[in-house]
Amino acid sequence: MTHFLDIHTTAKSDLRAMIDAARRIKEARGDVPKGTPDRDQPLKNRMVALIFEKPSTRTRISFDLGVRQMGGETMVLSGADLQLGHGETVADTARVLSRFVDLIMIRTFEEATLHEMAEHATVPVINGLTNRTHPCQIMADVLTYEEHRGPIAGRKVVWSGDGNNVCASLIHAAGQFGFDFTFTGPQPLDPEREWIDFARCQGVAAETERDPAKAVEGADLVVTDTWVSMHDPQSARERRHNQLRPYQVNEALMARAKPDALFMHCLPAHRDDEVTSAVMDGPQSVVWDEAENRLHAQKAVMRWCLGV
């Protein structure tokens, strides 16, 4: 079964094929009006289940629209609709869903839920996000960088802030796409050592630099994410702000990177916390292209999973 569970568990050649396909898919639409079907209808007569245990804006819209544009239909389900892992085991839900749909995308909390779904489903499963990784976002990020600056291989990418699930998938991508990675943030929020070791084993530099000004020197791309999760209690939010304030991406920090460095943020952003509005809306920011490219990258992922 061709699942898309994580970047580090997907072959490099397949990842490259998906990025190249995503670019072709985007270019093929050209000036086609928004929301209209693609000329190619590879998902015609296909049904895709979109499961959301966690709330979503970009993931829901981009997957739903992507399926519809490719001629398929969607069934959007919340965790409450399925009582996933409560009223019925995840394994049994996977078995039942597989009798009705052609593809499952799940956005969940625990990585174990994703893997149990994939283990027992007889249709492909896509990781729409877990607490540990967010591979679809990083596929869109790679696509965005390459359409603005060419191949990402050999470039220097810097993550400033919390070593969270998006950061984890970016480190995976460093190893798989061949770019160097630097993390800058407080030690309690370091990314998992396992991910750093994975990237290094692929032959790229994966480093930590506590001084953000030093970290971004020579950077081709600077990336950050929100400092707090929607589920964090107030006490945790205050602690995170105190820890991460020195790692805000602002104009002074971007000035230390290469003159043509890009800025990315997966959104939603808390303006003037992790990033200033001047950077978000500035000439180096590609956050809106990055958001749009979730649609094109995920179309390529779905086509790869289904072999169409």
Side-chain angles (χ1 to χ4, degrees):
M1 193 58 56
T2 309
H3 302 304
F4 183 72
L5 303 183
D6 271 312
I7 287 173
H8 71 298
T9 58
T10 305
K12 294 179 183 181
S13 59
D14 289 333
L15 293 167
R16 172 46 58 190
M18 282 184 263
I19 294 296
D20 294 343
R23 189 159 189 167
R24 290 194 299 271
I25 289 166
K26 183 175 184 178
E27 290 171 352
R29 286 194 63 79
D31 297 324
V32 175
K34 295 180 178 65
T36 57
D38 293 354
R39 294 182 182 89
D40 187 13
Q41 296 282 282
L43 267 61
K44 187 174 182 179
N45 299 323
R46 306 270 190 148
M47 176 64 72
V48 179
L50 306 177
I51 302 173
F52 293 94
E53 281 201 296
K54 298 185 78 167
S56 167
T57 299
R58 278 148 293 276
T59 300
R60 177 166 179 164
I61 293 170
S62 55
F63 267 107
D64 197 352
L65 180 59
V67 172
R68 292 167 186 262
Q69 287 183 349
M70 293 191 293
E73 295 185 54
T74 60
M75 181 184 298
V76 181
L77 303 163
S78 71
D81 294 327
L82 297 174
Q83 295 187 342
L84 202 62
H86 302 291
E88 181 176 58
T89 67
V90 175
D92 286 350
T93 299
R95 294 181 181 105
V96 170
L97 276 176
S98 298
R99 297 300 180 100
F100 297 111
V101 305
D102 301 283
L103 178 67
I104 299 168
M105 187 288 301
I106 181 168
R107 180 179 173 94
T108 187
F109 292 92
E110 300 301 324
E111 185 180 56
T113 302
L114 168 73
H115 288 291
E116 188 174 356
M117 180 71 72
E119 181 181 354
H120 297 281
T122 54
V123 298
V125 173
I126 294 173
N127 177 0
L129 174 143
T130 70
N131 285 350
R132 204 172 182 214
T133 60
H134 196 359
C136 287
Q137 177 62 58
I138 299 306
M139 293 295 283
D141 292 358
V142 172
L143 173 63
T144 304
Y145 185 87
E146 294 198 340
E147 71 181 2
H148 281 273
R149 295 288 186 265
I152 197 168
R155 306 288 188 162
K156 178 181 178 180
V157 177
V158 176
W159 178 278
S160 183
D162 176 16
N164 62 11
N165 53 354
V166 184
C167 178
S169 288
L170 187 62
I171 299 170
H172 296 161
Q176 298 291 65
F177 288 98
F179 58 85
D180 293 333
F181 174 87
T182 299
F183 171 81
T184 186
Q187 187 274 331
L189 300 179
D190 278 356
E192 292 182 45
R193 184 72 192 187
E194 177 181 344
W195 305 146
I196 296 293
D197 290 344
F198 168 81
R200 289 175 176 171
C201 285
Q202 304 307 306
V204 300
E207 309 296 341
T208 297
E209 171 54 66
R210 300 295 173 206
D211 183 341
K214 290 181 180 178
V216 301
E217 289 178 358
D220 297 285
L221 172 62
V222 179
V223 191
T224 193
D225 193 5
T226 179
W227 290 344
V228 295
S229 167
M230 64 185 75
H231 305 287
D232 288 340
Q234 185 60 35
S235 58
R237 290 168 181 258
E238 292 173 359
R239 183 171 65 253
R240 286 290 185 92
H241 276 80
N242 291 333
Q243 288 176 310
L244 289 163
R245 194 165 287 114
Y247 298 96
Q248 181 191 69
V249 181
N250 50 40
E251 289 175 288
L253 190 68
M254 288 300 298
R256 301 294 294 264
K258 286 184 178 178
D260 65 345
L262 299 179
F263 169 75
M264 291 189 195
H265 189 308
C266 68
L267 304 178
H270 294 106
R271 287 171 176 260
D272 300 313
D273 280 349
E274 70 269 12
V275 58
T276 61
S277 289
V279 171
M280 274 275 292
D281 300 325
Q284 293 170 287
S285 173
V286 291
V287 296
W288 314 121
D289 291 341
E290 181 186 6
E292 178 194 341
N293 282 341
R294 289 289 300 277
L295 171 67
H296 311 299
Q298 288 161 188
K299 280 183 178 180
V301 170
M302 288 188 281
R303 293 187 66 153
W304 175 79
C305 286
L306 291 169
V308 296

